[in-house]
Amino acid sequence: MRPRWILLLCCAVVLAACHEESPTGPEDAATPMLKKKCPSPPCGGGGEDPPPPPSVDDPAILYSSGIESNVGGGGCKRGDLQDSMYRMDLSGASERVFGDNLETQAHTQHPSFSPDGQRFAMYRDVYTVRKGRCDTEHFEIATAGVDGTGFTVIREIERGSGGLDQPRWSPGPVGGGERIAWMESTGDLVSLIIADTDGSSRFAVVEGTLTGEVEGFEWSRSGDAILVHLRDWGSDFSHLRLYSLNCASTCSWSSFVEIGDTSPITPGWFSEMDWARQHDWIAVSKCFGGDCDVYKIDITDPALPVVTQLTAGGSLDELEVSWSPDDSRILFVAGPIGSGERLVELDLTIVSLPWNGDLNTPGVRILPEVGPAGGTDWRRF
């Protein structure tokens, strides 16, 4: 346990004594989120009671950030920054949970929660430092507990042999068991792989070709289908295709439908996609002409998708979007804000859409600085 959590426990003891001496009044009962000042140290900044640790019923956000130095240095290109994994509760309080206690140095990115929220999958670029430069040795898909324990590599590819990217844990059992999907490249071909959570029974569900490849994907909320962003290099045309899955043993697709016209979205490339938890809505970040904005695509009827633009911040780029567990909010990385990039939470029930980048807009919450970012995931468990 980290020292500051010990400090929080000490604060909790002091607060318990405070409440015994000063019973809570009617106003406090009506506003349970407001807390009295802590009468004496130890307390949080400004003498106020610091936020409590999240309970097991609270949603949590995992995000990748290069804002802090890794233990043991690194000293390559970005100073000694190393992408590590952080966990944040609803108050915005966060702590590093993974990436500072391994013998190897690696950029850890693209977190994806398991359905119960107790483990996550990740992508890792493992490197050594030679003459002030990061020298990649190999790429990994790995899993670990949200407390940083139980680290397991489930797929590894040496540099020069191919690449790995964007692991996504299935939202529930698929054909009798949970699965992890990722993108894997061999030479110039990028394919979509689905495997058991230990990396076994790998199967290329959608294989790249010389003229086209997989640019991104996302599980359906039921886990019985997978949405794939495909790019045709010959025509430079991108489209979305929904594959129905058959995972009785190894996974394969049984049929597919093309997602209809999404032309209200300007041409360009999709970054990571996220399928909403309660609806057949897809959040995507689309970049064109140096500007990246976030859109919602309602594919309740795949042939007739309904597109809603969620952000239009011309001075900001919005990337790496994630839905809240109740589909009422979205989280994304936005920047530049101040000296870097920040996590931004948008309450879609309050904000007038599309959000224009005004940081003082009601329903907009600015969260931790993330530096070089590498994906987010949001899960209730």
Side-chain angles (χ1 to χ4, degrees), residues 101-120:
N101 58 351
L102 301 179
E103 294 180 359
T104 55
Q105 294 169 311
H107 294 295
T108 305
Q109 299 178 329
H110 302 301
S112 178
F113 274 119
S114 62
D116 64 4
Q118 300 306 303
R119 294 184 64 77
F120 68 98

Side-chain angles (χ1 to χ4, degrees), residues 26-307:
E27 292 185 4
D28 295 318
T31 56
M33 296 302 292
L34 300 179
K35 297 193 175 186
K36 291 182 178 295
K37 296 279 187 177
C38 185
S40 61
C43 297
E48 295 184 354
D49 177 24
S55 75
V56 294
D57 295 322
D58 282 338
I61 294 168
L62 273 180
Y63 65 95
S64 173
S65 170
I67 199 63
E68 293 187 54
S69 302
N70 63 304
V71 173
C76 49
K77 293 185 179 179
R78 297 173 179 169
D80 59 356
L81 296 180
Q82 173 173 295
D83 293 294
S84 300
M85 209 63 69
Y86 296 77
R87 179 179 173 179
M88 180 170 61
D89 63 30
L90 285 180
S91 74
S94 62
E95 65 170 344
R96 180 160 48 186
V97 297
F98 190 87
D100 62 351
N101 58 351
L102 301 179
E103 294 180 359
T104 55
Q105 294 169 311
H107 294 295
T108 305
Q109 299 178 329
H110 302 301
S112 178
F113 274 119
S114 62
D116 64 4
Q118 300 306 303
R119 294 184 64 77
F120 68 98
M122 72 196 93
Y123 157 81
R124 301 179 79 235
D125 175 348
V126 181
Y127 65 89
T128 56
V129 180
R130 294 187 178 93
K131 298 181 179 179
R133 298 187 61 184
C134 288
D135 224 350
T136 298
E137 293 184 338
H138 62 270
F139 307 102
E140 295 175 347
I141 301 296
T143 62
V146 291
D147 60 357
T149 62
F151 173 73
T152 305
V153 176
I154 65 171
R155 180 61 169 156
E156 179 179 312
I157 291 183
E158 295 299 314
R159 175 187 174 187
S161 299
L164 302 167
D165 205 357
Q166 294 187 21
R168 301 294 285 175
W169 207 304
S170 65
V174 178
E178 296 171 15
R179 314 277 176 150
I180 295 176
W182 63 81
M183 295 193 300
E184 184 167 322
S185 62
T186 303
D188 294 329
L189 306 181
V190 180
S191 300
L192 173 61
I193 308 296
I194 296 180
D196 293 345
T197 57
D198 62 359
S200 63
S201 303
R202 292 193 306 274
F203 188 82
V205 176
V206 183
E207 296 187 83
T209 66
L210 291 175
T211 58
E213 67 178 37
V214 177
E215 291 246 308
F217 72 95
E218 175 61 303
W219 291 97
S220 68
R221 60 192 174 97
S222 60
D224 60 358
I226 203 156
L227 182 69
V228 181
H229 173 215
L230 297 163
R231 182 170 182 174
D232 186 331
W233 287 105
S235 64
D236 202 27
F237 175 73
S238 296
H239 61 286
L240 296 173
R241 182 180 287 174
L242 184 63
Y243 290 86
S244 296
L245 296 176
N246 179 4
C247 292
S249 53
T250 57
C251 286
S252 61
W253 62 268
S254 55
S255 62
F256 68 81
V257 295
E258 299 285 354
I259 303 301
D261 183 14
T262 59
S263 59
I265 303 178
T266 55
W269 54 271
F270 290 113
S271 71
E272 287 186 30
M273 303 183 290
D274 194 38
W275 197 304
R277 310 292 184 253
Q278 311 295 329
H279 302 83
D280 290 326
W281 300 342
I282 311 301
V284 298
S285 180
K286 194 71 179 291
C287 299
F288 180 74
D291 181 40
C292 302
D293 292 311
V294 176
Y295 296 82
K296 181 186 85 171
I297 307 175
D298 184 337
I299 60 168
T300 303
D301 181 352
L304 297 171
V306 179
V307 175

Side-chain angles (χ1 to χ4, degrees), residues 54 58-64 85-95 97 111-113 117 120 146 277 320 322-325 329-333 343-346 365 367-368 370 375-381:
D58 282 338
I61 294 168
L62 273 180
Y63 65 95
S64 173
M85 209 63 69
Y86 296 77
R87 179 179 173 179
M88 180 170 61
D89 63 30
L90 285 180
S91 74
S94 62
E95 65 170 344
V97 297
S112 178
F113 274 119
F120 68 98
V146 291
R277 310 292 184 253
E320 299 170 5
S322 181
W323 287 100
S324 67
R329 291 161 290 162
I330 58 169
L331 182 80
F332 50 84
V333 176
L343 286 172
V344 175
E345 179 190 311
L346 219 62
R365 191 161 69 128
L367 295 164
V370 293
T376 64
D377 197 14
W378 197 342
R379 184 64 57 94
R380 181 183 295 279
F381 54 94

Side-chain angles (χ1 to χ4, degrees), residues 7 10-11 14-15 18 37-44 46-48 50:
L7 179 60
C10 293
C11 283
V14 173
L15 283 173
C18 291
K37 296 279 187 177
C38 185
S40 61
C43 297
E48 295 184 354

Side-chain angles (χ1 to χ4, degrees), residues 286 288 290-295 309-319 332-337 346 352-359:
K286 194 71 179 291
F288 180 74
D291 181 40
C292 302
D293 292 311
V294 176
Y295 296 82
Q309 187 169 359
L310 302 183
T311 72
S315 62
L316 300 177
D317 283 334
E318 296 92 22
L319 294 163
F332 50 84
V333 176
I337 297 176
L346 219 62
S352 296
L353 300 175
W355 176 59
N356 63 6
D358 181 356
L359 302 179

